[in-house]
Amino acid sequence: QVQLVESGGGLVQAGGSLRLSCTASGRIFGTYTMAWFRQVPGKEREFVVIISRFAGTTYYLDSVKGRFTIFGDNAKNTLYLQMDSLKPEDTAVYYCAADLKQLPSLASEYAYWGQGTQVTVSS
């Protein structure tokens, strides 16, 4: 079992940047598939990016490719999401998730979640 705590959300103007952090209670890299999801009111939680548990292969939502980057710090058990060129449509609550399955893509397939952090992009 792993506990996840996100931080780094906030209010930013369109075109700006934010870096989200997800700190885990234990080792995550090489153990869990990790992902960032986001959710807006009235919509389902959608994946933003997934990083596979072994090879570290990444899969990005098409609308964030080239703007968002997932990376980690193994020593700190921390996963990051660097978000550049932010758009108003990126406004959402962002969640960090982890699971032992190889490549779960749906939110329902993830066992462990952080509490979420709000990202608001103003136009």
Side-chain angles (χ1 to χ4, degrees), residues 14-45:
S17 298
L18 282 174
R19 179 178 293 181
L20 306 183
S21 300
C22 172
T23 300
S25 57
R27 174 180 173 174
I28 52 176
F29 301 109
T31 302
Y32 294 92
T33 292
M34 301 297 298
W36 287 97
F37 283 77
R38 66 187 182 186
Q39 188 171 26
V40 297
K43 292 190 176 181
E44 292 187 356
R45 198 169 292 188

Side-chain angles (χ1 to χ4, degrees), residues 14-113:
S17 298
L18 282 174
R19 179 178 293 181
L20 306 183
S21 300
C22 172
T23 300
S25 57
R27 174 180 173 174
I28 52 176
F29 301 109
T31 302
Y32 294 92
T33 292
M34 301 297 298
W36 287 97
F37 283 77
R38 66 187 182 186
Q39 188 171 26
V40 297
K43 292 190 176 181
E44 292 187 356
R45 198 169 292 188
E46 67 173 357
F47 100 95
V48 176
V49 57
I50 298 169
I51 183 166
S52 65
R53 59 186 287 194
F54 294 127
T57 306
T58 55
Y59 303 87
Y60 289 88
L61 180 68
D62 283 347
S63 62
V64 308
K65 285 180 181 177
R67 301 189 298 118
F68 289 12
T69 305
I70 189 172
F71 63 99
D73 186 328
N74 198 25
K76 296 182 178 180
N77 292 324
T78 299
L79 182 74
Y80 299 96
L81 181 65
Q82 178 67 39
M83 304 186 295
D84 299 317
S85 301
L86 282 160
K87 303 176 181 180
E89 51 263 43
D90 295 318
T91 295
V93 177
Y94 283 71
Y95 296 91
C96 175
D99 199 88
L100 291 171
K101 291 188 284 293
Q102 177 61 15
L103 271 179
S105 60
L106 300 176
S108 59
E109 297 179 281
Y110 283 79
Y112 306 107
W113 291 89

